[in-house]
Amino acid sequence: MATYLEFIQQNEERDGVRFSWNVWPSSRLEATRMVVPLACLLTPLKERPDLPPVQYEPVLCSRTTCRAILNPLCQVDYRAKLWACNFCFQRNQFPPAYTGISEVNQPAELMPQFSTIEYVIQRGAQSPLIFLYVVDTCLEEDDLQALKESLQMSLSLLPPDALVGLITFGRMVQVHELSCEGISKSYVFRGTKDLTAKQIQDMLGLTKPAMPMQQARPGQPQEQPFVSSRFLQPVHKIDMNLTDLLGELQRDPWPVTQGKRPLRSTGVALSIAVGLLEGTFPNTGARIMLFTGGPPTQGPGMVVGDELKVPIRSWHDIEKDNARFMKKATKHYEMLANRTATNGHCIDIYACALDQTGLLEMKCCANLTGGHMVMGDSFNTSLFKQTFQRIFSKDFNGDFRMAFGATLEVKTSRELKVAGAIGPCVSLNVKGPCVSENELGVGGTSQWKICGLDPTSTLGIYFEVVNQHNAPVPQGGRGAIQFVTQYQHSSTQRRIRVTTIARNWADAQSQLRHIEAAFDQEAAAVLMARLGVFRAESEEGPDVLRWLDRQLIRLCQKFGQYNKEDPTSFRLSDSFSLYPQFMFHLRRSPFLQVFNNSPDESSYYRHHFARQDLTQSLIMIQPILYSYSFHGPPEPVLLDSSSILADRILLMDTFFQIVIYLGETIAQWRKAGYQDMPEYENFKHLLQAPLDDAQEILQARFPMPRYINTEHGGSQARFLLSKVNPSQTHNNLYAWGQETGAPILTDDVSLQVFMDHLKKLAVSSAC
Amino acid sequence: MSQQGYVATPPYSQSQPGIGLSPPHYGHYGDPSHAGSPPGKVHYFDLHVIINSQWSGLLSRTGSGMAPPGQGPPGPPSAPLFQGPPQPPQPSIMQPGSQVLPPPPTTALNGPGASPLPPSTHRQDGLPGPAPLNAQYQTLGSFLFKIFFQAANYGPQMAGGQLSYPGGFPGGPAQMAGPPQLQKKLDPDSIPSPVSRGQVYATNTRGQVPPLVTTDCVIQDQGNASPRYIRCTTYCFPCTSDMAKQAQIPLAAVIKPFATIPSNETPLFLVNHGENGPVRCNRCKAYMCPFMQFIEGGRRYQCGFCNCVNDVPPFYFQHLDHIGRRLDHYEKPELSLGSYEYVATLDYCRKNKPPNPPAFIFMIDVSYSNIKNGLVKLICEELKTVLEKLPKEEQEDTSAIRVGFITYNKVLHFFNVKSNLAQPQMMVVTDVGEVFVPLLDGFLVNYQESQSVIHNLLDQIPEMFADSNENETVFAPVIQAGMEALQAADCPGKLFIFHSSLPTAEAPGKLKNRDDKKLINTDKEKILFQPQTNVYDSLAKDCVAHGCCVTLFLFPSQYVDVASLGLVPQLTGGTLYKYNNFQMHMDSQQFLNDLRNDIEKKIGFDAIMRVRTSTGFRATDFFGGIFMNNTTDVEMAAIDCDKAVTVEFKHDDKLGEDSGALIQCAVLYTTVGGQRRLRIHNLSLNCSSQLADLYKSCETDALINFFAKSAFKAVLHQPLKVIREILVNQTAHMLACYRKNCASPSAASQLILPDSMKVLPVYMNCLLKNCVLLSRPEISTDERAYQRQLVMTMGVADSQLFFYPQLLPIHTLDVKSTTLPAAIRCSESRLSEEGIFLLANGLNMFLWLGVSSPPELIQGIFNVPSFAHVSTDMTLLPEVGNPYSQTLRMIMSIIQQKRPYSMKLTIVKQREQPEMVFRQFLVEDKGLYGGSSYVDFLCCVHKEICQLLN
């Protein structure tokens, strides 16, 4: 084994797992002193082109409380055809199919390189994927037109046997019947009245034949004539019909008087969509895709009244407790999200409007069900169109990059317990021997449901070392964790992906250096950030910042090398050196700062932060800045105001935005039109280079970032200026006039000041 | 002024009120020269004619019109002759207790006594009629017409009675003592003549009693509203409330503000004062009318209603002429006419906005039974043509009315039929618990613009639900949806609901089958007439508030609770049509005619009626298809040409004989074109402190209309027995009061009827025998509730025909004449085995065939060789190019023409089972299931009178 860096990278590529600590402190007490908890970022469905799924079922430990899956860490007695569970030490017989195994004839799951393996379950019914469009019709004409076109286009991207449904809403909610010939038919619901699932099914006429259906369910339900067939039809059957129907969609016909918002019954529409699927296709992969162009203005889930003179709530209102609809609306959507999650469906929200659309209240719909959340200015933008198209992108096998109805189960060896998870999941409330009493994130369970996930969906999973100090782990002992993800593949197969990992235990007192060296500061930063953001959802912003600061100080105290009360002596080892900088940028990030962001934007940013993988998360915390100049090839530069130079082009990637910034001189050159002169072709190339790089990022990312092309003095330059470390401000005047970058007009502390304070506090014996 | 001229019909024909088109016999009513020629007659019936006297109650009316020749100027119509030998005495004895009916006086029908007048002079006399009177008993008196009911020589005295009444000439001198004269000679000009048809009745005199409803005449508005619009129970009000109490004659007016006016009468003038709006009295807000007195050279006017002196608005000023009349008196309708319309200003509109044109919404029950029996298809097919004929303003090319479509069973289906759609769109509303309108744009559309989409829809509806097996229906949510659609479109309108079953689906207004025959004849019977839930009541209230009129076509095959379902149509000014056990081949014609009529008929929307009166009395009670939020404003979601409101008046104070009693009825409404208008009807009545004047001016048809409505309203709250007693008592009281105060002294045993009320007993008996008031388990509860509701909105002509059907002999038809044959009395004794008779009551029509009907007639009418070949299944006579067939069909269409409901024709063969149904309509006979015969009732009333007098 080479360096820990290589080890970490190798593990991530193979298992999709990154731990904050790669050598584990062997006792509870020591683990708590490490400040950063033992945790990992798990990407359950990380794309593994080199990993073909095996076409048989996993072998389970026979102990009912364990049910761990046979893995390379298990001890196998090939002669006796026995294997010992490495979690509970139960000895198990191999099943009859394994009679032929030997040291040289091992099944895949016993080979070390298959620490992650995927099984395809053959039994059980396969039901088609379901896509239920929930479309807002209170849109401007061109917006609606663009949306209609996007939806029509999407029909061609769906698998032919997928079921589609259409619900439109405005003042009323219409559930469109898709099967009928001739006259187009829809069921209409009042937008102000919340209905129970039972009522909805009654009103849609779904209940009557349901009795024989339920009895037949264990058999082959997809061959039964679905009761819901009127509303959900295979794409190949009705794509013409539905294309026409979408084409004929009109704007909500109810008049909107001056000074009013259109009445938009988003809450009821979603409720009906959820109720429709709940009654007809429970526990089947289904996406409810909500397209909305404004805030819900009536009925349950309303976010703002229809009077335009009353603006939609801001953070200021929320702090002042002035958001009168927020709590009720949030409760409504939470209830819906929980129901949806229970049924294994997911809700996507595509909100395109210039003003807020109520994402703050609706966020749980996407967050708890693993749905997507996309925010844009208009449906008539490439941001929306391409993002939406990318939902239906396919992987190397030609399968959709989406999976449904997953459950993630975590099994730990005895020294560990699982404390919780943070990500697009809900708890399944499965108590077990490996469930910790302390909760971090969504805890109290060893199983979570992730209704919708894609190859990049990443969960933060937090553990607790429970081994007591006086019961040391034997030298060389290893702790093991098994992640079992059962899900419905987009090809409608049921699959199980099993990842089993093991790490060494180390005594923190004697082997602190080992532990320290095995610290993954990137993973740690993201995992701490997730905890911070998770807290920020329920706590006041400043409290979270204080908590983060305290954790950072404690970490520095623990792992820094310094003389007491001497800040100048403070040093951090390489494996910790970037961590304070991450924390500095995290404190400034929109995930924890609500200033200058609407509540919707905050929700949107936090949504994506809680589900992206480590690399993307790090970009979100600390944006990447590239510099392009005549001085050399493009190079990453410090995210610092000093990097903003007149003769540079900067490319910043904050995950949500791609900013291209032309320095003062470059901008003047461009204005003068040098790029068009043949003798300055190199300038033309220089201008083009960041554009090409930006395109590359734009192509790869979901959701599509906002693309900003600006220059020195441009109004959009604020996107860059607000992100860089304000090392030069109007306050430190000494820098004026020097060739050291651009001053930022802010009172925010710079990284330098932050670090100075940190050192001072870390070395102080007061805390 | 010989007011009784037009009541005169020859004897033996049935009394005038039963005849739709009997020839009028009146002079020019406006001609004062006739005023002093009030002939009358007294008929003294001997004991011998007791038998016949049971018919003479009606005959009496006939007789009253006869003018004694040589008495007064020859203007008034004279009586036909009673000639021939005396009727042989009949041996039966009339006793109040004994219900011995005399044998049918068939002999009388064809008896030698019948001496027809030459048809040229009086067509009706062409009919041989019974000659009940011996000429020697027949004496002509000026006012009295008496019928002696005397006990047989050997019987007790109590059964006797005498009918007596004055001729009732307004303002006519009391010529009580006209010496009996025998009519010997007849002046050919003085007898009624059929060519007098089309004579003119001018409404220029206060308190004049108008022609009977059945009289065909031209009415000329000369300052009072035509009797087609307002008809009063009496045209002379008692001066004091004491007097009114003494007589117990109801003071009421039956107002039919949108009555259809024959094409030869002048339609209403429209007055437009521009932004000034109508001129109104400052105090009582009465509208400018002929009763306003201009004073001070035309600068002021005194209100005839409240006597307030108002300034004439400058724009309205006009000088007065030498008799104090404005110079523009004849130029301004509101100064010279009894009825006219005003263009209303924005002040008279909801929210001060001009109203939108109304909308019609068609709501079709598409539950299993309606699909299966083809009704839905029938409706859809018919709508395609009938929608071409939506009512419109006269000057417009196309109708402004928009249309919308809803189908429903347990849920509601709305249709978007916007003109730019290729296909209609269906929107299903399943939330019937809280129904709402799912679309605005495209639901109510202009028929012309969306014609192709609508036709497409109507083609598809029957197919769309062809596979439906939904049996349950909702009802209240359907109305609610229609109302809310109109409300959302901000326009008044009318819902046409085609419904067939008890709404049992879970929804507001859900009904259960509560038909319970055990309740009949108990104090709880009234429950059957009350709605099951109060949902419909509040729904009706909302409908009226939003100008939503509901017309319901019911196709019940079993109990559907008409009392509940019919409430909203009734209170919103709509119409209820009921087709029991609807069968495509039997009933579709009737239904389609009703549908066409209802869509095309004249109608005003979102109406408020206010009845103002001069000081001393006021309107206290209102009956009809109305809703009242307070005590004065009569609100109607809509009012059409067939709906009448009966208004009862009570005294506040003393009325002056000079000033009379003035009534102004103002209806504010929205036209089919969306204009807001005021329709004003003015009527002046006399006042008198003489009871005799009061009795002279009574109008029996209007009285019966009032009695029927008040009794049918009371049905909801009181036991039927009590109501029947009240009716009988009041009848007796009215007559007793007359007897006591007005009639010349006579033997106590005489039953004396005032001329104007001579047919009151027979009508009252018909009312009492009506299935609403007389419970019989054989009649379905629904039918009773239906008839009850029907009567509540009836005008005088309709109620008259409804209670006393028209019976026409067909076998004696003169195929060359275009007039209707004279009606005969509704009694079995009038039928003959050789005859064919046509009976109509406004709802049903029967063609009764005697077993020995002349084969040539059968051949002519049915195109079959004999009686036995006639099929009773048909509801439409075959079109045979034969004078019999043509004339009969013409007669039937004439009878049908003026009636709001299409009458279903039933062919009845004598002595076959269906005859039972027919017989129920022979109202003078003892009812099959109870109800006394006319004679029995007369005796009963007489007994009551005697008790009162003692």
Side-chain angles (χ1 to χ4, degrees), chain B residues 217-235:
Chain B
C217 63
V218 174
I219 292 168
Q220 203 176 67
D221 186 343
Q222 291 191 3
N224 281 297
S226 156
R228 300 191 199 283
Y229 294 121
I230 307 182
R231 208 165 251 283
C232 291
T233 53
T234 173
Y235 284 79

Side-chain angles (χ1 to χ4, degrees), chain B residues 641-872:
Chain B
C641 59
D642 297 315
K643 299 288 182 295
V645 178
T646 301
V647 186
E648 190 183 8
F649 301 103
K650 290 258 162 66
H651 280 81
D652 265 349
D653 201 355
K654 218 167 136 17
L655 295 174
E657 290 194 34
D658 299 336
S659 53
L662 307 180
I663 298 170
Q664 182 177 67
C665 162
V667 184
L668 174 65
Y669 73 102
T670 304
T671 65
V672 288
Q675 291 180 27
R676 201 76 174 143
R677 291 215 188 137
L678 276 154
R679 184 172 278 219
I680 317 284
H681 297 301
N682 301 295
L683 183 65
S684 58
L685 306 174
N686 278 337
C687 294
S688 173
S689 51
Q690 300 298 316
L691 276 172
D693 293 335
L694 174 59
Y695 277 93
K696 264 191 290 197
S697 308
C698 285
E699 228 282 309
T700 307
D701 295 328
L703 273 174
I704 284 298
N705 183 284
F706 172 83
F707 279 127
K709 288 188 185 179
S710 64
F712 283 12
K713 188 178 186 182
V715 158
L716 296 179
H717 312 292
Q718 282 176 299
L720 297 183
K721 196 162 158 262
V722 176
I723 294 167
R724 285 197 300 265
E725 274 166 17
I726 290 174
L727 285 175
V728 173
N729 288 343
Q730 191 166 2
T731 309
H733 191 102
M734 282 158 58
L735 298 176
C737 174
Y738 174 76
R739 171 71 186 264
K740 200 164 158 190
N741 298 297
C742 307
S744 57
S746 53
S749 62
Q750 279 185 328
L751 172 59
I752 302 175
L753 300 176
D755 181 52
S756 66
M757 291 187 186
K758 57 184 178 265
V759 287
L760 183 68
V762 70
Y763 283 1
M764 186 55 78
N765 189 35
C766 294
L767 171 59
L768 290 168
K769 282 163 80 170
N770 179 275
C771 64
V772 177
L773 292 184
L774 189 67
S775 342
R776 313 170 196 158
E778 294 82 3
I779 303 291
S780 75
T781 308
D782 274 349
E783 185 61 29
R784 299 174 70 195
Y786 171 63
Q787 294 201 4
R788 190 192 84 80
Q789 180 180 340
L790 221 54
V791 169
M792 290 310 285
T793 57
M794 270 186 181
V796 179
D798 294 333
S799 62
Q800 188 274 330
L801 183 66
F802 178 72
F803 288 113
Y804 195 96
Q806 191 173 12
L807 181 60
L808 304 177
I810 299 301
H811 53 288
T812 54
L813 208 58
D814 176 4
V815 292
K816 291 177 201 79
S817 166
T818 54
T819 51
L820 289 188
I824 58 169
R825 311 177 60 144
C826 291
S827 167
E828 196 184 350
S829 59
R830 304 284 158 161
L831 307 175
S832 66
E833 287 191 358
E834 304 85 42
I836 296 178
F837 295 87
L838 185 69
L839 182 140
N841 78 335
L843 294 179
N844 297 290
M845 207 183 271
F846 293 93
L847 193 61
W848 184 89
L849 310 173
V851 282
S852 336
S853 313
E856 67 272 19
L857 238 74
I858 298 280
Q859 177 70 43
I861 295 169
F862 297 101
N863 205 17
V864 292
S866 75
F867 177 80
H869 289 83
V870 175
S871 154
T872 53

Side-chain angles (χ1 to χ4, degrees), chain A residues 172 174 177 181-191 193 195 202-205 208 248 250 253-255, chain B residues 410 415 421 423-431 433-441 457 460 464 470 488:
Chain A
M172 310 281 171
Q174 278 176 267
E177 194 172 306
E181 308 261 309
I183 212 163
S184 76
K185 198 169 163 185
S186 59
Y187 283 68
V188 191
F189 295 83
R190 199 193 279 271
K193 188 176 169 188
L195 301 162
D202 280 348
M203 288 177 174
L204 290 175
K208 236 182 266 169
E248 278 193 9
Q250 298 293 315
W254 296 86
Chain B
K410 214 167 86 174
F415 293 95
L421 292 175
Q423 280 266 353
Q425 292 174 350
M426 180 203 248
M427 299 173 107
V428 186
V429 169
T430 47
D431 188 1
E434 230 179 297
V435 81
F436 60 96
V437 183
L439 79 169
L440 187 61
D441 197 24
L457 172 68
Q460 289 198 45
M464 224 181 313
E470 186 57 69

